Amino acid sequence: MNVNPLYTPRELEHQLNDADAKAIVIVSNFANTLEQVVDKTPIKHVVLTSLGQMLPTAKGTIVDFVVKYVKGMVPKYDLPGAISFKKALSKGRRLQYVKPFMTGDDIAFLQYTGGTTGVAKGAILTHRNMIANVMQAKVCTRLY
């Protein structure tokens, strides 16, 4: 599931609980919102990233410095046990990949509605849904 980074703590809490999410990857700019609700959700694993983390080292360091200290776009947060995205990738690289068995009817992800008529609701999208969507998009690119 993806989450709108502009959600209020209440909206984020609702979706994480509704989806029974166990892990979240979050950009540090929005970690303060997660901090406010994480203890009221099933989240067990927090992976933090920054806007510059996947850029080359020098450029990423500059981007992160400007975003955090010059622009003040990263509110203070405290998420004990959170690990960096790069560290998660490094840990995962050492594990053996076991290919899961999936069918087209298996859930690929949840896409939440805007919640304009109440609380946001998770629409289940299957792998078959996503394959059909990619095929439709491919046809459309040929038309233009």
Side-chain angles (χ1 to χ4, degrees):
M1 99 182 188
N2 53 21
V3 175
N4 183 337
L6 301 179
Y7 276 152
T8 64
R10 181 188 59 79
E11 292 169 320
L12 179 62
E13 179 183 347
H14 164 73
Q15 283 193 11
L16 295 176
N17 284 322
D18 185 65
D20 196 28
K22 304 289 190 253
I24 187 168
V25 177
I26 190 163
V27 179
S28 58
N29 301 51
F30 310 105
N32 177 271
T33 303
L34 177 63
E35 176 191 3
Q36 295 175 54
V37 300
V38 71
D39 291 338
K40 299 180 261 181
T41 71
I43 294 291
K44 302 286 182 241
H45 307 283
V46 177
V47 179
L48 278 168
T49 189
S50 65
L51 295 179
Q53 191 168 53
M54 297 307 290
L55 296 172
T57 304
K59 188 173 187 176
T61 302
I62 292 168
V63 166
D64 285 343
F65 179 84
V66 169
V67 167
K68 186 171 184 176
Y69 298 107
V70 177
K71 301 280 186 181
M73 296 171 59
V74 182
K76 290 192 182 301
Y77 62 87
D78 182 29
L79 291 169
I83 65 169
S84 76
F85 185 65
K86 280 189 174 181
K87 186 171 185 176
L89 290 177
S90 177
K91 286 176 111 177
R93 196 174 292 121
R94 288 178 262 151
L95 300 174
Q96 181 179 355
Y97 176 70
V98 178
K99 185 177 179 179
F101 176 77
M102 289 184 283
T103 70
D105 293 325
D106 287 327
I107 297 172
F109 58 90
L110 299 174
Q111 178 64 54
Y112 277 81
T113 62
T116 53
T117 60
V119 295
K121 295 157 192 75
I124 295 172
L125 295 175
T126 65
H127 289 280
R128 181 175 290 113
N129 294 138
M130 298 315 303
I131 291 168
N133 186 248
V134 169
M135 293 172 73
Q136 291 165 348
K138 189 174 180 181
V139 168
C140 288
T141 60
R142 291 187 198 140
L143 299 176
Y144 297 102

